[in-house]
Each structure stands twice: as structure tokens, then as C-alpha cells.
Amino acid sequence: QVHLAESGGGSVQAGGSLTLSCAISESTNSSKCIGWFRQAPGKEREGIAAIDTGAGITRYADSVKGRFTVARDTSQSAVSLLLNTLKPEDTAKYYCAYASRWSDCLRPAGPRPGDFSVWGQGTQVTVSS
């Protein structure tokens, strides 16, 4: 069974950077599909990035492409999300999640929340202008 835990959120000024981490607990350390999502108050949860932890293949939503970078560590026990050039509209709670079906993982437009079955508790990112 996969368990996920996010960390690294905080408050930053516009133009700044943050790195979020998603710790992955699972006995086999096999390749996994991990997605990053965010949800702002009053808005739907948005998929922003996904990665195949084995091959390192990534996908991004257009809203973050070129500013955010998802990566995995060599042990496949953690995935990071580097947030660069942050904007106030990036303010949200950020979640990592696991998808068990590879066909759901690397959608060209980014991950869809309904395809992911295991979620972390989330970490808050606040960007001030």
C-alpha cells in the first residue's frame, strides 16, 4: 500500500521560489505514477504535473509549464516539485497523489484528479504580491 506525505510549503513573495517534496512509503519501491495537484479556496482541484518515477517522464499543465519542474530521486522514494517565478494566483494547497493505472498517468494536458486514488494531506503555498 502506498502512503504519501507532502512537505515544503510556505509563504513567499511574487517572483520567488519554493520546493515541495512528496515522500513515498511503499514496500516494493517499484516505478510509480505520481501527480501534483493544487486547490485554491472556492476552486476545483487542478492537476499540474505528473511523473513516472521509474523512467522520469514528466507532463505539465499549461498553467505551470516552464515555471514548475517535477523530479524524482534515484531511490524513487520521493518526488519533488520546484516552483519558480511564483505568482499570487499560484496560492493554493498543493497535493501529491498516486495513480495505479499507467494509462492514467502521463496525459498530455497534465493529470486528472479522478485518475488518482491515494492522496497526501497537502501543503499550503501562499504567494504575496
Side-chain angles (χ1 to χ4, degrees), residues 14-63:
S17 299
L18 279 174
T19 299
L20 308 183
S21 184
C22 174
I24 305 167
S25 300
E26 196 264 346
S27 60
T28 66
N29 283 338
S30 58
S31 299
K32 294 177 185 61
C33 171
I34 301 295
W36 281 98
F37 301 82
R38 65 184 180 184
Q39 189 166 20
K43 295 191 175 181
E44 292 186 354
R45 190 165 293 188
E46 175 192 14
I48 55 176
I51 187 167
D52 169 347
T53 64
I57 301 170
T58 58
R59 293 289 187 269
Y60 297 93
D62 287 344
S63 58

Side-chain angles (χ1 to χ4, degrees), residues 9-129:
S11 297
V12 64
Q13 290 193 322
S17 299
L18 279 174
T19 299
L20 308 183
S21 184
C22 174
I24 305 167
S25 300
E26 196 264 346
S27 60
T28 66
N29 283 338
S30 58
S31 299
K32 294 177 185 61
C33 171
I34 301 295
W36 281 98
F37 301 82
R38 65 184 180 184
Q39 189 166 20
K43 295 191 175 181
E44 292 186 354
R45 190 165 293 188
E46 175 192 14
I48 55 176
I51 187 167
D52 169 347
T53 64
I57 301 170
T58 58
R59 293 289 187 269
Y60 297 93
D62 287 344
S63 58
V64 303
K65 200 173 292 183
R67 297 191 300 125
F68 292 6
T69 303
V70 61
R72 90 289 199 207
D73 69 9
T74 54
S75 68
Q76 300 188 53
S77 63
V79 168
S80 62
L81 183 68
L82 172 61
L83 289 62
N84 279 328
T85 321
L86 282 162
K87 307 173 182 179
E89 53 264 41
D90 294 319
T91 294
K93 195 164 188 179
Y94 284 70
Y95 300 85
C96 61
Y98 161 75
S100 58
R101 297 196 311 183
W102 284 106
S103 60
D104 295 331
C105 187
L106 299 174
R107 295 182 183 275
R112 297 192 312 194
D115 292 338
F116 289 72
S117 57
V118 178
W119 292 80
Q121 81 285 355
T123 186
Q124 179 67 36
V125 171
T126 302
V127 184
S128 58
S129 58

